[in-house]
Amino acid sequence: MKEWSLSVLYKDYEDPKFQEDFKKLENYIDSIQDFSKELNRTDTIATLVEILTRLEAYRNLMYPLSAYMNLRQSTDTTDAMTSTYLSRLMALGSKMSEPISRFNRYIAETKDLEALIEQHDLLKEYAYLLTTTKRDAQYLLSDEVENVLSLMDLNAGNAWSNLREFVTSTMDVTYQGTSTTLSDIRNMAYDADKEVRKAAYEAELKSYEAVKDTIAFALNSIKGQANTVSELRGYDSVLMMTLHQSCMKKETLDAMFAAMKEFFPKFQQYLKRKADLLGYEHGLPWYELFAPLGNSNKKYSVEEAKTYLLDHFRPFAKDMADMMERAFDEEWIDFFPHKGKVGGAFCENLPFAKQSRVLTNFDGSLGDIVTLAHELGHAYHGMMIEEHRPMNWDYSMPVAETASTFNENIIMNAAIDAAHGDEKIALIENQLQDLTQIMCDIYSRFLFEQEVVERRKNEFLNADELKNIMLHAQKEAYGDGLDPEYLHPYMWINKSHYYSADLSFYNFPYAFGGLFARGLVVKYEEMKDDFLPKYQEMLKATTVMDVEDVASIMGIDLCDINFWRSALNTAADRIDEFLSLTDEKCR
């Protein structure tokens, strides 16, 4: 029950099904390559249908293989066999770049595409995919260049990303004379003992000194590659490329950030109050961001975490609670940290199997239950889209964090409403920790990446320069809420989100998801029983609509700053409640 089972995919690498699927994939890619060279216009509808049918078959072969290897690697980055198979799989995948480029060009050059879509049921189901492919044609390169870019990435962006993952998951951190893992040391940030928190923070920062130059090379290489690809494709910037790939308008991002900046002083009030409560005069030291307040030091077993989640989610959505129960009972979750396992948490949807897999580094705190609620929100999102056709399984980056963060709000609001006294203070403060992360920390990460990407066009940024950029970004985002003598100059090493050459700026989606979710909670309170069906409809639409159109299902205009203000007002109210409840403790 403490480790996930991957048998729904394959038993192991010797499994005849694994070997058979791998061979099928090799042969099928060869056949797709041949087919892509013979596209014709004698019957455009038939050709479009054949393109989609072949891409579906490819996806149904590639998805289980890729998921299996990536999931295995996430729990053991030292597994040489997994690394070998992943390299082979990535090489196979790169052979699809040229056929996909030909397919995209064929779709883009199809006249009267919308009229043709209406003449066939399969084309209707893929209407969004087809029309966005045509829309994106201006950013396509020649088939040969697309192929070269894909091949290059095997030994460029992907290789640097794998290096960073391997180094950080296997590095030893020395804590009080003993060796431990980075995940274990970061979990100590939640410890009830101030001395433990500070010592863990110091040990973490010291451990990065040994790897900082290696990771700096990885980050420079990845951001250099992102700049090159963005420029080749004709985007104004890497950020504009990311927004386009995310099916999201710049006006939405601007409205969200403008609202966030208005509310930063309120979050700084919270941070300074927490500093007062813990006895600090110059703002909160970084190592105290997750310090527990009040009487909320209870540790939960896995079974208790399961009960807690089911009790809180069954009244909201029975189908979600049933899915959560399956996740625990059917071994969807890998719980505990160990050497070689990646840090943090994630959810991998397996829509072809109508399941998901969740990785956490569980230590039994309430925060870990919130993390489980978050990741199982991703799983619920996956459940909502699993009936789509295979090429409609992917939702864009911004909405990826919506269902997960909505779940966090549901569970924390219910827990806070039921609490009293010091327990209520502790729970509110726990929620404010998370809100501060999606506000201040995410904004600092955005500022950091924005500067690194821009400066990387003309210079190599060594580890010390990256530290300075990170510190400047943290000071701008947190203001005087944090003690400037105790920040985190190596957050660029810790966060994996920077290390993907084809997925830049994976930071603002967390702010988007968190604030969009709070706005949805406001809608939930307004709509009552009418909310859940609309919410489910919205989640299903996330793979077949632009972000702004998805939100419109709930009657929300994302380009209107007032929507973001409505979400942030609920956060400000929670901060005011915290300030009121802790007034006497500061006198």
Side-chain angles (χ1 to χ4, degrees), residues 378-397:
H378 284 303
Y380 187 67
H381 197 168
M383 191 171 84
M384 290 296 102
I385 55 92
E386 66 189 17
E387 296 302 328
H388 283 312
R389 298 196 73 96
M391 300 300 290
N392 284 339
W393 281 338
D394 296 325
Y395 36 77
S396 66
M397 191 167 64

Side-chain angles (χ1 to χ4, degrees), residues 92 229 306 553:
L92 281 176
V229 172
K306 173 185 174 183
I553 291 173

Side-chain angles (χ1 to χ4, degrees), residues 17 50 58 151 205 329 338 491 522-523 573:
K17 186 175 187 305
E50 184 67 14
Y58 165 73
L151 290 170
L205 294 191
D329 294 349
H338 59 77
M491 191 53 66
V522 174
K523 286 284 184 182
D573 290 344

Side-chain angles (χ1 to χ4, degrees), residues 83-345:
S83 297
T84 298
Y85 272 116
L86 263 175
S87 296
R88 288 178 59 190
L89 189 72
M90 288 162 59
L92 281 176
S94 71
K95 294 170 68 175
M96 282 294 293
S97 61
E98 203 164 352
I100 288 174
S101 177
R102 293 189 185 114
F103 295 155
N104 289 343
R105 201 173 306 284
Y106 183 92
I107 293 166
E109 293 172 356
T110 298
K111 297 177 181 178
D112 302 319
L113 179 62
E114 292 184 4
L116 294 177
I117 287 171
E118 292 303 312
Q119 298 179 46
H120 197 285
D121 287 343
L122 183 66
L123 302 187
K124 288 179 184 177
E125 290 194 70
Y126 281 120
Y128 181 70
L129 176 66
L130 292 167
T131 55
T132 53
T133 299
K134 189 175 180 72
R135 182 179 72 188
D136 295 348
Q138 61 182 308
Y139 301 112
L140 273 177
L141 302 172
S142 70
D143 298 343
E144 293 78 10
V145 174
E146 292 286 353
N147 189 44
V148 168
L149 286 177
S150 180
L151 290 170
M152 176 190 72
D153 197 43
L154 294 176
N155 296 304
N158 276 320
W160 287 111
S161 178
N162 289 338
L163 173 68
R164 179 260 163 202
E165 188 172 88
F166 175 82
V167 169
T168 56
S169 65
T170 58
M171 61 190 283
D172 289 318
V173 183
T174 301
Y175 175 75
Q176 295 185 345
T178 62
S179 178
T180 187
T181 67
L182 186 57
S183 293
D184 280 331
I185 207 76
R186 284 186 59 78
N187 277 339
M188 293 179 193
Y190 301 87
D191 198 274
D193 187 330
K194 177 189 296 188
E195 296 306 316
V196 170
R197 297 192 297 268
K198 184 177 181 182
Y201 161 82
E202 291 170 344
E204 181 191 355
L205 294 191
K206 187 175 181 180
S207 73
Y208 291 135
E209 288 288 332
V211 302
K212 65 179 183 179
D213 295 323
T214 300
I215 307 303
F217 267 90
L219 186 60
N220 274 270
S221 300
I222 285 169
K223 295 312 171 192
Q225 181 176 327
N227 275 325
T228 299
V229 172
S230 170
E231 185 176 346
L232 283 172
R233 294 196 182 283
Y235 290 100
D236 291 338
S237 66
V238 173
L239 177 59
M240 292 308 296
M241 179 171 70
T242 299
L243 288 167
H244 188 86
Q245 292 168 344
S246 301
C247 304
M248 175 175 160
K249 295 178 180 177
K250 178 71 159 45
E251 292 84 348
T252 292
L253 185 67
D254 291 343
M256 181 183 76
F257 277 154
M260 287 169 61
K261 289 175 184 177
E262 291 179 3
F263 283 80
F264 278 144
K266 179 59 72 173
F267 281 83
Q268 289 157 12
Q269 271 187 279
Y270 150 67
L271 290 168
K272 286 186 281 190
R273 173 57 58 85
K274 184 170 183 177
D276 288 343
L277 292 168
L278 292 173
Y280 299 100
E281 297 180 0
H282 306 294
L284 192 68
W286 186 279
Y287 58 83
E288 298 291 44
L289 276 169
F290 304 109
L293 294 181
N295 297 319
S296 185
N297 299 325
K298 175 177 169 57
K299 292 290 184 178
Y300 296 82
S301 68
V302 168
E303 275 301 321
E304 287 171 329
K306 173 185 174 183
T307 301
Y308 194 98
L309 290 169
L310 296 182
D311 288 348
H312 282 84
F313 281 99
R314 200 170 293 283
F316 168 65
K318 182 180 181 300
D319 62 339
M320 186 187 297
D322 290 344
M323 181 215 69
M324 288 179 169
E325 192 162 22
R326 286 186 64 204
F328 280 85
D329 294 349
E330 297 176 12
E331 299 177 323
W332 293 11
I333 307 171
D334 198 281
F335 286 95
F336 299 113
H338 59 77
K339 190 169 184 177
K341 179 177 176 177
V342 298

Side-chain angles (χ1 to χ4, degrees), residues 306-555:
K306 173 185 174 183
T307 301
Y308 194 98
L309 290 169
L310 296 182
D311 288 348
H312 282 84
F313 281 99
R314 200 170 293 283
F316 168 65
K318 182 180 181 300
D319 62 339
M320 186 187 297
D322 290 344
M323 181 215 69
M324 288 179 169
E325 192 162 22
R326 286 186 64 204
F328 280 85
D329 294 349
E330 297 176 12
E331 299 177 323
W332 293 11
I333 307 171
D334 198 281
F335 286 95
F336 299 113
H338 59 77
K339 190 169 184 177
K341 179 177 176 177
V342 298
F346 68 78
C347 173
E348 174 87 17
N349 294 145
L350 308 175
F352 52 88
K354 293 184 167 44
Q355 296 183 22
S356 290
R357 288 297 179 271
V358 168
L359 178 142
T360 75
N361 281 275
F362 186 84
D363 75 347
S365 69
L366 178 63
D368 287 319
I369 294 180
V370 175
T371 296
L372 281 168
H374 178 103
E375 301 305 337
L376 289 168
H378 284 303
Y380 187 67
H381 197 168
M383 191 171 84
M384 290 296 102
I385 55 92
E386 66 189 17
E387 296 302 328
H388 283 312
R389 298 196 73 96
M391 300 300 290
N392 284 339
W393 281 338
D394 296 325
Y395 36 77
S396 66
M397 191 167 64
V399 293
E401 297 300 327
T402 299
S404 54
T405 316
F406 183 83
N407 270 16
E408 287 186 35
N409 281 283
I410 289 292
I411 196 166
M412 286 305 300
N413 288 346
I416 289 167
D417 289 345
H420 302 281
D422 282 352
E423 183 186 11
K424 193 178 192 76
I425 291 174
L427 291 174
I428 290 175
E429 201 278 322
N430 194 278
Q431 188 178 55
L432 293 179
Q433 287 179 23
D434 293 335
L435 280 168
T436 303
Q437 287 293 293
I438 66 166
M439 284 284 290
C440 303
D441 197 55
I442 288 300
Y443 190 61
S444 74
R445 292 191 226 171
F446 176 83
L447 293 175
F448 171 83
E449 186 162 3
Q450 190 174 46
E451 182 170 348
V452 169
V453 167
E454 185 59 32
R455 289 177 57 179
R456 186 64 188 92
K457 293 176 182 177
N458 302 307
E459 59 183 303
F460 179 92
L461 300 162
N462 63 33
D464 287 339
E465 194 56 48
L466 292 171
K467 284 168 58 179
N468 290 334
I469 297 170
M470 180 57 79
L471 290 172
H472 179 76
Q474 288 171 355
K475 288 173 183 176
E476 185 170 340
Y478 285 95
D480 61 359
L482 291 188
D483 185 337
E485 298 300 315
Y486 292 96
L487 298 175
H488 197 309
Y490 290 118
M491 191 53 66
W492 54 275
I493 296 179
N494 177 260
K495 293 300 177 184
S496 62
H497 307 83
Y498 297 120
Y499 297 88
S500 172
D502 58 359
L503 188 63
S504 301
F505 289 100
Y506 201 165
N507 33 61
F508 71 78
Y510 284 94
F512 179 99
L515 298 181
F516 186 44
R518 292 195 75 82
L520 287 172
V521 171
V522 174
K523 286 284 184 182
Y524 177 35
E525 291 168 352
E526 292 173 359
M527 297 171 66
K528 307 298 183 187
D529 292 343
D530 295 330
F531 176 83
L532 184 59
K534 274 288 184 185
Y535 177 65
Q536 293 170 329
E537 179 188 348
M538 184 199 74
L539 292 180
K540 289 174 184 175
T542 52
T543 63
V544 292
M545 284 185 180
D546 285 354
V547 170
E548 290 77 17
D549 294 330
V550 167
S552 70
I553 291 173
M554 304 300 299

